[in-house]
Amino acid sequence: MPTFGLSSEWLLSGGRRFVDGLVLSHPEQVERLARVCADAVPSAVLAGDPCFDRMLAARPYRERFRRALGVRRGQRLVVLSSTWNPEGFFGSGSGSGGGSGSSSSSGQDILPGLLPRLAAELPADDYRLAAVLHPNIWYGHGPGQIRAWLDRARRAGLTLIDPVHAWRQALLAADLVLGDFGAVSYYAAALDTPVLLAADGADVLDAEAPLAEFVRRAPRLDPRAPLLPQVERGIGAHRPDPAPAGFVTSEPGRSAELLRRHFYALMDLPEPPGPASLEPLPLPPYRPGQVTSPLHVRTRVEGMDVVVERSAGHPAGAAGDAHLAVHEETRHPGDLDVADVITRDGPADDPRLGGPGAWTDEVLRLHPHCSTAGYVTGPHTCVVRSRGRQGTFRLSADTRAGADADPAAYASAFHVWLAYGGVVPARGVVLRMHTARGVHPFRVEAIG
């Protein structure tokens, strides 16, 4: 199948070339163009790839992009990507909506069914999930419909990335891309980011295109097998492959220069003085992940050390004491009636809630089953009240010692430590919360 845009139906009218400039990024594309539409070759302009050049220029700011997405130290960012073809990761659902989990023309839409499993199987404190969906998916179904289809995943922590202004930054921030045969997966590989393919689009790709070769060689995600081992293996077994970067552009860093030269030549005007440049990628707004679905928490206590694993489901083989932590804004209010720990987040001086002290007192009064209420006041702090204990406690991460976890996780660690007989001395105490990918010391002190 010819590459989209490189065929006579796109480039000729009445058998005659009408394109003044067909911008291509690599001589390989010119060779394919000559095979499928030789009459259009005189219009070809080798001018690199401005999209890729912008990403290359922004690579030094990867950590900023990760912080903008709320990726904490030690966390891994998994970006799910889908092109707009029905055979893509997020298919068309034969017109009935891919997010419904219905069958698409290729048999099944993989992404909607995979998202709840990722939230259940990947520990919430070790992984962060984001999705980049092609703009045509958004505008074909409508933003409201996409958000409704993916509401469950969003409540479990998935962030939907702006498909026009922020997808490149998310790609630079990613530790792994779960994708398909779309350009985003290929860009990720060109950036040397590990990629696992969940849909290969073998029937819709030009077999001679570098993208098709990449798809043939890329490791696959098996949606029927346990996901965490595949994700860890996809990251750990990754080896650099120079081929994608070599075929994305033959002129890395020069697209602005070459495009400006071509544009002014078309207008028969001299170029302006000074170097040509591209607009740098902006720093996206701060969008930390927020989980409002109930979290199943497994813990182990050894003195001042508490091992914590939180997820939106019950992964096979999970061990340890279990409790349920629920955000106050859960979609199902009945979850609060069975929660052991109830949390929320907001400014400490929010007049609607009366402050952390009043809110935690109210929560324990409204929900007799709840043992601990935690009000997250900032990226590294929360205020906790525990049933049967006098007053409230401030939990503060020791960031100088490398602590950087969700304060709601500290509330769960403190909850189980108290249940094992822990007592907070007048001078306070430092507990160490362990997740799979790090140790997070936090200080506990009574505040009244």
Side-chain angles (χ1 to χ4, degrees), residues 225-279:
L227 298 175
L228 179 58
Q230 294 186 77
V231 168
E232 292 181 333
R233 186 165 57 249
I235 296 173
H238 173 70
R239 297 295 179 267
D241 180 359
F247 280 111
V248 164
T249 176
S250 59
E251 299 287 350
R254 295 190 62 210
S255 63
E257 169 196 348
L258 296 172
L259 285 170
R260 187 176 76 171
R261 181 182 303 165
H262 174 65
F263 296 154
Y264 276 86
L266 286 176
M267 296 185 292
D268 195 24
L269 292 173
E271 289 189 65
S277 61
L278 298 170
E279 183 178 357

Side-chain angles (χ1 to χ4, degrees), residues 58-71 169 173 281-286:
R59 289 183 95 170
Y61 310 115
R62 179 176 188 263
E63 289 304 318
R64 296 182 187 179
F65 298 148
R66 289 172 66 82
R67 289 194 293 269
L69 283 169
V71 180
Q169 297 91 321
L281 294 181
L283 182 64
Y286 180 53

Side-chain angles (χ1 to χ4, degrees), residues 354-394:
W359 179 84
T360 53
D361 181 65
E362 180 183 51
V363 165
L364 295 184
R365 180 164 40 84
L366 291 175
H367 304 287
H369 180 84
C370 176
S371 297
T372 301
Y375 188 114
V376 176
T377 55
H380 303 290
T381 58
C382 69
V383 174
V384 169
R385 187 185 299 272
S386 187
R387 192 176 299 280
R389 308 279 173 157
Q390 187 68 31
T392 56
F393 301 89
R394 179 185 292 114

Side-chain angles (χ1 to χ4, degrees), residues 64-84:
R64 296 182 187 179
F65 298 148
R66 289 172 66 82
R67 289 194 293 269
L69 283 169
V71 180
R72 294 180 177 272
R73 188 178 300 117
Q75 272 191 317
R76 287 168 162 173
L77 173 63
V78 177
V79 172
L80 300 100
S81 168
S82 179
T83 190
W84 63 290

Side-chain angles (χ1 to χ4, degrees), residues 414-429:
F414 182 55
H415 162 78
V416 72
W417 182 76
L418 290 178
Y420 269 77
V423 176
V424 180
R427 66 181 183 279
V429 66

Side-chain angles (χ1 to χ4, degrees), residues 29-329:
Q29 296 168 7
V30 181
E31 295 172 4
R32 274 192 290 133
L33 178 64
R35 290 195 292 271
V36 298
C37 188
D39 290 340
V41 170
S43 298
V45 179
L46 280 173
D49 186 327
C51 179
F52 192 58
D53 283 354
R54 293 178 75 196
M55 287 191 278
L56 290 177
R59 289 183 95 170
Y61 310 115
R62 179 176 188 263
E63 289 304 318
R64 296 182 187 179
F65 298 148
R66 289 172 66 82
R67 289 194 293 269
L69 283 169
V71 180
R72 294 180 177 272
R73 188 178 300 117
Q75 272 191 317
R76 287 168 162 173
L77 173 63
V78 177
V79 172
L80 300 100
S81 168
S82 179
T83 190
W84 63 290
N85 193 288
E87 282 73 29
F89 202 173
F90 192 101
S92 69
S94 299
S96 61
S100 66
S102 58
S103 295
S104 72
S105 58
S106 61
Q108 182 181 2
D109 294 333
I110 301 172
L111 180 58
L114 195 65
L115 285 170
R117 288 188 53 215
L118 285 167
E121 297 182 34
L122 271 56
D125 296 302
D126 299 312
Y127 287 91
R128 176 90 167 85
L129 297 175
V132 173
L133 305 180
H134 192 284
N136 286 1
I137 295 176
W138 283 94
Y139 304 127
H141 297 295
Q145 182 65 80
I146 295 299
R147 292 190 178 95
W149 276 335
L150 299 180
D151 178 72
R152 180 182 173 190
R154 292 168 58 217
R155 289 180 175 276
L158 176 77
T159 293
L160 295 177
I161 302 297
D162 185 307
V164 176
H165 301 292
W167 69 269
R168 301 169 188 84
Q169 297 91 321
L171 209 56
L172 286 164
D175 294 290
L176 176 72
V177 170
L178 300 182
D180 55 20
F181 53 92
V184 172
S185 298
Y186 199 58
Y187 277 132
L191 292 168
D192 197 29
T193 300
V195 176
L196 290 178
L197 295 187
D200 62 20
D203 297 332
V204 298
L205 293 177
D206 180 351
E208 297 181 350
L211 175 58
E213 176 62 20
F214 161 72
V215 166
R216 285 190 288 269
R217 296 171 53 190
R220 298 298 197 265
L221 178 79
D222 181 355
R224 297 171 297 277
L227 298 175
L228 179 58
Q230 294 186 77
V231 168
E232 292 181 333
R233 186 165 57 249
I235 296 173
H238 173 70
R239 297 295 179 267
D241 180 359
F247 280 111
V248 164
T249 176
S250 59
E251 299 287 350
R254 295 190 62 210
S255 63
E257 169 196 348
L258 296 172
L259 285 170
R260 187 176 76 171
R261 181 182 303 165
H262 174 65
F263 296 154
Y264 276 86
L266 286 176
M267 296 185 292
D268 195 24
L269 292 173
E271 289 189 65
S277 61
L278 298 170
E279 183 178 357
L281 294 181
L283 182 64
Y286 180 53
R287 297 184 64 194
Q290 185 182 62
V291 178
T292 59
S293 293
L295 286 172
H296 300 270
V297 188
R298 278 80 52 190
T299 60
R300 296 195 308 276
V301 179
E302 298 177 5
M304 300 299 181
D305 295 272
V306 184
V307 178
V308 173
E309 180 179 310
R310 306 185 304 160
S311 65
H314 292 286
D321 298 317
H323 69 263
L324 186 68
V326 179
H327 194 282
E328 193 181 36
E329 293 182 351

